[in-house]
Amino acid sequence: MVVPSPTPLSTEKVRAVDLPIIDLSAQRSEVSKLIVKACDKFGFFKVINHGVPNHIIAKLEHEGLSFFAKPVPEKLRAGPANPFGYGCKTIGLNGDMGELEYLTLNTNPLSIAERSKTISDDPSKFSSIVSDYIEAIRGLGCELLDLMAEGLLVTDTSVFSRLIRDVDGDSVLRLNHYPPVQVDCKDMDTSHPHDNRNKVGFGEHSDPQILTLLRSNDVGGLQISIEDGVWIPVTPDPSAFCVNVGDMLQAMTNGRFVSVRHRALTNSCKSRMSMAFFGAPSLQTRIIAPPELVTPNRLSLYRPFTWAEYKKASYSLRLGDSRLELFRKCIED
């Protein structure tokens, strides 16, 4: 496979756009409409007044920063990330690299408890904090997916959310740490990460799962792209969660929602840490659009497949490769 050389950051187009910010405390019917509009146009939005307690967020962030501050030999005890555990710079199995280190966890409580033994000096405390965060963030994810179904006028409003409620679900929690590039930071605005001294921390990709809920500190770096070669910086906001539509949700909405392509840049002066929950179904779950979203005017775009099939395809490809195209129906179908 020939992989094109990445475009130098200094020559890329960056466009400032007011990305949707949705207040979950507003009237439900209006919220669901705004979410659908955001997913149609951007495949991305921020959510505020989300109901995830601040102390639960703060505890996990503290644990993450404490782990990444450890000496390298101690961090390596939790690796390699195949797929769970500690990883540094290497992303996946196919040669992708980035300027980051990360900690990936299965959301199953037993898996968390076992993995905690190599991560923390107090495994019980770490396991409890991670489990509390996952419970809270999964609840938010289910609420957002129900609102999406309502906004799409799907009769079975839990058609999306029950996939990540499944006790056998394949959801993942990943903590990403992007160390700063060592340069003279005098008079620089760290909220605007796009300059020639920054590097790609995590390259362009879409998320294969249903949806991603991401919280980061007050350091910029996340960018989305809805047009080839044009990047929209996401203003950092620790009070909000960023919500990404994933490949599974694009397929389940019959192409209505956009699985947004995004990336993360390092910051020149400050370290950035993000905490991403990737909501995914059980491996055997069959991915198919609800009947309301398949009409004579909008025929089914994708053949039915399981999450296991899709996950296998994702792991066999490079980070930036398009995966959904492999599951698109032929025109004659």
Side-chain angles (χ1 to χ4, degrees):
M1 179 185 297
V2 177
V3 181
S5 299
T7 304
L9 296 183
S10 58
T11 64
E12 291 179 333
K13 295 179 181 178
V14 177
R15 180 179 301 158
V17 173
D18 290 330
L19 295 168
I21 301 174
I22 297 175
D23 185 346
L24 279 192
S25 68
Q27 197 211 9
R28 188 175 181 90
S29 60
E30 184 63 21
V31 169
S32 65
K33 290 176 184 176
L34 290 173
I35 288 176
V36 167
K37 183 178 179 181
C39 293
D40 277 344
K41 185 173 182 180
F42 296 105
F44 175 92
F45 59 94
K46 291 181 184 177
V47 61
I48 58 174
N49 291 320
H50 43 70
V52 179
N54 287 333
H55 70 274
I56 287 179
I57 298 171
K59 285 181 179 180
L60 181 60
E61 185 171 63
H62 175 77
E63 291 295 323
L65 290 172
S66 297
F67 173 79
F68 291 123
K70 288 183 173 184
V72 171
E74 290 186 37
K75 289 186 285 191
L76 290 175
R77 289 180 56 231
N82 58 350
F84 303 114
Y86 173 73
C88 183
K89 296 199 174 183
T90 299
I91 302 171
L93 305 173
N94 300 302
D96 290 297
M97 303 291 288
E99 294 295 324
L100 84 161
E101 56 180 343
Y102 56 92
L103 189 62
T104 307
L105 300 167
N106 186 296
T107 55
N108 179 283
L110 292 177
S111 175
I112 294 169
E114 185 62 30
R115 181 68 62 178
S116 297
K117 297 174 184 177
T118 61
I119 294 171
S120 175
D121 299 329
D122 189 344
S124 178
K125 177 186 175 185
F126 182 86
S127 178
S128 176
I129 288 172
V130 171
S131 295
D132 286 349
Y133 182 86
I134 288 170
E135 181 180 358
I137 202 70
R138 181 186 280 121
L140 173 59
C142 289
E143 175 70 4
L144 294 173
L145 290 168
D146 286 347
L147 285 162
M148 291 174 191
E150 292 171 25
L152 290 168
L153 305 179
V154 175
T155 303
D156 180 2
T157 55
S158 64
V159 66
F160 305 136
S161 65
R162 66 168 166 265
L163 300 184
I164 68 170
R165 282 195 183 98
D166 192 333
V167 293
D168 296 321
D170 196 38
S171 297
V172 170
L173 179 69
R174 189 175 69 219
L175 309 184
N176 290 327
H177 179 236
Y178 303 91
V181 178
Q182 298 302 313
V183 296
D184 183 1
C185 298
K186 186 179 179 181
D187 300 325
M188 284 192 61
D189 183 351
T190 59
S191 66
H192 296 285
H194 192 90
D195 76 62
N196 298 348
R197 289 165 289 191
N198 295 327
K199 297 181 180 180
V200 175
F202 206 109
E204 178 182 354
H205 65 286
S206 64
D207 294 333
Q209 295 89 352
I210 297 171
L211 89 168
T212 304
L213 296 171
L214 181 138
R215 194 269 183 194
S216 67
N217 58 3
D218 60 352
V219 178
L222 179 63
Q223 298 180 332
I224 69 169
S225 178
I226 58 173
E227 178 184 348
D228 285 347
V230 179
W231 290 96
I232 300 171
V234 177
T235 304
D237 181 358
S239 69
F241 278 95
C242 295
V243 185
N244 291 359
V245 170
D247 295 350
M248 293 298 93
L249 193 53
Q250 179 171 326
M252 290 194 74
T253 59
N254 198 27
R256 171 87 181 260
F257 288 177
V258 180
S259 181
V260 64
R261 297 188 71 79
H262 55 286
R263 69 181 183 184
L265 303 186
T266 61
N267 190 279
S268 297
C269 306
K270 294 184 178 181
S271 65
R272 177 174 181 266
M273 192 180 84
S274 63
M275 308 186 299
F277 171 82
F278 302 93
S282 64
L283 292 172
Q284 298 76 30
T285 299
R286 194 164 177 261
I287 304 300
I288 189 168
E292 293 90 344
L293 301 181
V294 181
T295 68
N297 293 327
R298 192 178 184 87
L299 300 177
S300 180
L301 295 177
Y302 306 101
R303 62 177 177 82
F305 55 89
T306 66
W307 168 236
E309 288 179 273
Y310 198 81
K311 187 177 179 181
K312 182 179 179 181
S314 297
Y315 274 69
S316 70
L317 299 173
R318 296 293 297 264
L319 183 65
D321 289 341
S322 176
R323 300 169 289 253
L324 265 179
E325 289 302 310
L326 300 176
F327 296 85
R328 185 179 282 271
K329 282 188 172 182
C330 297
I331 296 175
E332 57 266 23
D333 289 350

